[in-house]
């Protein structure tokens, strides 16, 4: 069977992260949503997403296709139902379509004519940016149970102090020395070739993905995910870093999400709690306004390729777009449009040519090429977001 993950109506509410990737490639827990579906289905997937992303994320359409709403995460009951779908059957949860089986081209599909199957089991859906960190604990536990089932952890060095060792799992090549790992409140997963340097203190739930690093003295509070090839230090609490991003120095990052290729300068901090303890409102691209999250704790949302200078400070519930460079003293406003350069004293446009020069150097340091496809995606994002830049 051919499986296609489609963005669905949640896509705009998940900006700025979905400016540069399909919904399926958001990381929550240990794996991306795509990786979860592929492991459960035992099959590869492609995506239906925005046209400007299709060069990097092409759709593969065959004679028989099952389309899955990528904002839903898999579980055994849901996957079993999807695997048994017949032609012109669709699975719904309340008013949301989860999946359907069709032989028609996507532009000819009329779900009203499909047999309606209601899924009344547990569902896990990502509908807003803040869901990525606020639901990360549940996703991390589910991924940990699925990935480690029937497997044995690599040996953990006796230089470490471990609490609830049976809830700690190291993949091949992982290294942890002279650190404290407490898995009482959630699992601790150390991915392939990941490193925890001396003096780190980690409290689960926590995932350090492939080739990522916790530097010396890092204080990690769960539920937190550090994506592949990322580096963290200082104090990190209930945060998700998608991959290839760095918060490599002292400073606080909490109740936050960083995309890929972000860099947080030394001694930078974000607020995650308002002084009056009120629920946090945050910029929503879908409504073009500041919407209520319903959360008391909500920190920083930062899109791909954005960076801060040292000692940068962020207010509670700040949204930073793609390819921003924040570098002057004081608190920037709570919404910074993509391709902005500056800070509290004002912004100017961060033109693609200059932004790409920095991206090429940063990516080359990790052995990844900044290619023409990536440039075209970011140029499109520059044009899409110019309506919010009044400079």
């Amino acid at each position: 069977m051919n499986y296609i993950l489609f963005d669905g109506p949640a896509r705009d509410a998940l900006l700025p992260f979905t400016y540069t990737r399909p919904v399926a490639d958001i990381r929550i827990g240990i794996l991306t949503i795509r990786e979860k579906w592929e492991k459960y289905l035992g099959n590869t997937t492609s995506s239906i997403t925005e046209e400007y992303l299709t060069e990097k994320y092409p759709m593969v359409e065959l004679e028989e296709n099952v389309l899955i709403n990528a904002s839903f995460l898999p579980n055994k009951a849901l996957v079993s139902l999807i695997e048994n779908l017949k032609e012109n059957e669709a699975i719904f949860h309340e008013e949301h379509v989860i999946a359907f089986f069709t032989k028609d081209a996507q532009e000819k599909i009329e779900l009203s004519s499909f047999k309606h199957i209601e899924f009344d089991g547990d569902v896990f859906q990502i509908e807003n940016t803040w869901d990525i960190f606020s639901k990360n604990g549940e996703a991390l536990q589910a991924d940990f149970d699925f990935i480690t089932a029937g497997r044995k952890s690599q040996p953990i060095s006796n230089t470490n102090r471990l609490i609830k060792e049976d809830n700690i799992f190291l993949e091949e090549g992982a290294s942890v020395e002279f650190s404290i790992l407490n898995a009482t409140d959630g699992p601790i997963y150390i991915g392939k070739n990941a490193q925890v340097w001396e003096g780190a203190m980690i409290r689960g739930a926590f995932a350090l993905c492939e080739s990522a690093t916790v530097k010396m003295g890092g204080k990690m509070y769960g539920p937190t995910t550090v994506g592949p090839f990322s580096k963290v230090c200082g104090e990190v609490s209930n945060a998700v870093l998608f991959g290839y991003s760095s918060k490599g120095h002292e400073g606080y990052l909490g109740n936050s999400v960083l995309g890929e290729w972000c860099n947080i300068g030394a001694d930078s901090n974000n607020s995650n709690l308002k002084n009056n303890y009120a629920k946090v409102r945050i910029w929503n691209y879908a409504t073009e306004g500041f919407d209520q999250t319903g959360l008391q704790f909500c920190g920083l949302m930062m899109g791909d390729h954005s960076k801060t200078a040292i000692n940068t400070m962020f207010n509670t519930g700040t949204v930073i777009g793609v390819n921003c460079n924040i570098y002057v003293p004081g608190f920037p406003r709570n919404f910074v449009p993509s391709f902005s350069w500056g800070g509290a004293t004002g912004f100017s446009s961060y033109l693609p040519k200059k932004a790409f020069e920095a991206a090429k150097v940063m990516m080359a340091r990790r052995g990844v090429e900044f290619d023409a496809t990536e440039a075209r995606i970011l140029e499109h994002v520059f044009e899409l977001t110019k309506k919010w830049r009044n400079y």
Side-chain angles (χ1 to χ4, degrees):
M1 182 57 64
N2 185 49
Y3 295 99
I4 304 171
L5 304 174
F6 65 91
D7 281 355
R11 188 258 173 186
D12 287 350
L14 291 166
L15 296 168
F17 306 113
T18 47
Y19 273 135
T20 47
R21 60 178 55 77
V23 171
D25 292 282
I26 287 175
R27 186 174 302 277
I28 178 172
I30 300 172
L31 307 168
T32 65
I33 297 172
R34 183 185 309 280
E35 289 168 343
K36 299 178 203 296
W37 278 108
E38 290 184 346
K39 284 184 178 293
Y40 270 92
L41 293 166
N43 211 325
T44 58
T45 64
S46 63
S47 284
I48 296 176
T49 186
E50 298 297 301
E51 184 176 354
Y52 73 92
L53 291 172
T54 56
E55 183 179 358
K56 185 175 180 180
Y57 302 97
M59 181 189 68
V60 177
E61 192 172 34
L62 301 180
E63 183 178 342
E64 296 182 335
N65 304 288
V66 171
L67 281 72
I68 301 171
N69 185 336
S71 68
F72 286 90
L73 276 60
N75 59 45
K76 289 181 179 180
L78 181 56
V79 169
S80 177
L81 194 59
I82 288 173
E83 289 178 326
N84 287 287
L85 275 173
K86 295 180 174 58
E87 184 181 356
N88 294 337
E89 290 184 340
I91 301 168
F92 284 81
H93 176 70
E94 298 173 349
E95 74 276 14
H96 299 291
V97 61
I98 299 177
F100 56 94
F101 181 172
T102 183
K103 292 183 179 180
D104 293 330
Q106 57 169 308
E107 60 271 11
K108 297 180 180 179
I109 295 168
E110 290 289 344
L111 286 178
S112 59
S113 65
F114 280 53
K115 180 183 177 181
H116 184 120
I117 301 171
E118 183 68 22
F119 181 70
D120 55 7
D122 293 333
V123 295
F124 192 150
Q125 188 179 15
I126 304 301
E127 298 178 272
N128 299 286
T129 53
W130 54 87
D131 291 341
I132 299 170
F133 73 81
S134 65
K135 297 181 178 181
N136 193 48
E138 183 182 350
L140 205 159
Q141 182 69 65
D143 283 351
F144 183 87
D145 292 342
F146 186 71
I147 290 172
T148 65
R151 301 174 60 216
K152 185 177 180 181
S153 170
Q154 295 296 307
I156 305 174
S157 170
N158 60 13
T159 66
N160 298 291
R161 182 73 171 94
L162 308 177
I163 304 174
K164 201 168 183 184
E165 184 176 353
D166 60 347
N167 212 20
I168 302 171
F169 193 95
L170 272 62
E171 295 284 7
E172 181 182 357
S175 172
V176 185
E177 298 290 350
F178 291 98
S179 294
I180 300 172
L181 280 66
N182 183 351
T184 302
D185 295 332
I188 295 175
Y189 175 85
I190 311 298
K192 183 180 179 182
N193 298 326
Q195 296 184 22
V196 178
W197 293 359
E198 304 90 289
M201 294 177 283
I202 298 175
R203 189 175 185 89
F206 180 78
L208 187 67
C209 298
E210 181 179 354
S211 298
T213 302
V214 177
K215 296 174 71 176
M216 289 191 294
K219 299 176 286 292
M220 305 291 121
Y221 299 82
T224 285
T225 296
V226 180
F229 299 92
S230 295
K231 296 182 179 181
V232 291
C233 195
E235 188 176 4
V236 180
S237 176
N238 191 198
V240 177
L241 287 71
F242 284 3
Y244 294 96
S245 289
S246 292
K247 186 222 166 290
H249 304 282
E250 294 301 320
Y252 177 75
L253 180 71
N255 304 99
S256 297
V257 182
L258 304 185
E260 292 185 337
W261 306 109
C262 297
N263 188 74
I264 303 295
D267 291 321
S268 294
N269 297 276
N270 77 270
S271 169
N272 65 340
L273 176 67
K274 296 174 70 70
N275 287 348
N276 62 0
Y277 300 94
K279 299 293 176 65
V280 179
R281 296 196 314 148
I282 195 169
W283 175 262
N284 188 328
Y285 289 87
T287 62
E288 299 194 11
F290 288 89
D291 286 0
Q292 183 58 252
T293 65
L295 301 174
Q296 194 173 52
F297 290 90
C298 185
L300 171 68
M301 305 287 133
M302 178 177 279
D304 289 7
H305 292 285
S306 288
K307 298 167 177 62
T308 77
I310 63 171
N311 298 310
T312 303
M313 311 295 281
F314 291 108
N315 279 307
T316 313
T318 294
V319 175
I320 306 294
V322 174
N323 256 308
C324 293
N325 198 318
I326 315 296
Y327 68 94
V328 296
F331 290 85
R333 61 196 189 199
N334 284 34
F335 167 55
V336 178
S338 297
F339 288 90
S340 294
W341 174 284
T345 59
F347 286 93
S348 60
S349 287
Y350 189 18
L351 297 177
K353 182 179 178 181
K354 191 171 184 180
F356 295 174
E357 288 172 357
K360 287 177 183 177
V361 174
M362 183 179 187
M363 293 174 71
R365 294 178 64 196
R366 306 289 181 88
V368 180
E369 181 187 3
F370 180 83
D371 60 17
T373 299
E374 195 74 17
R376 282 190 285 271
I377 289 171
L378 293 174
E379 285 168 350
H380 193 88
V381 174
F382 179 82
E383 294 299 322
L384 279 177
T385 58
K386 64 182 179 182
K387 64 179 179 179
W388 290 301
R389 292 189 301 273
N390 55 0
Y391 31 82

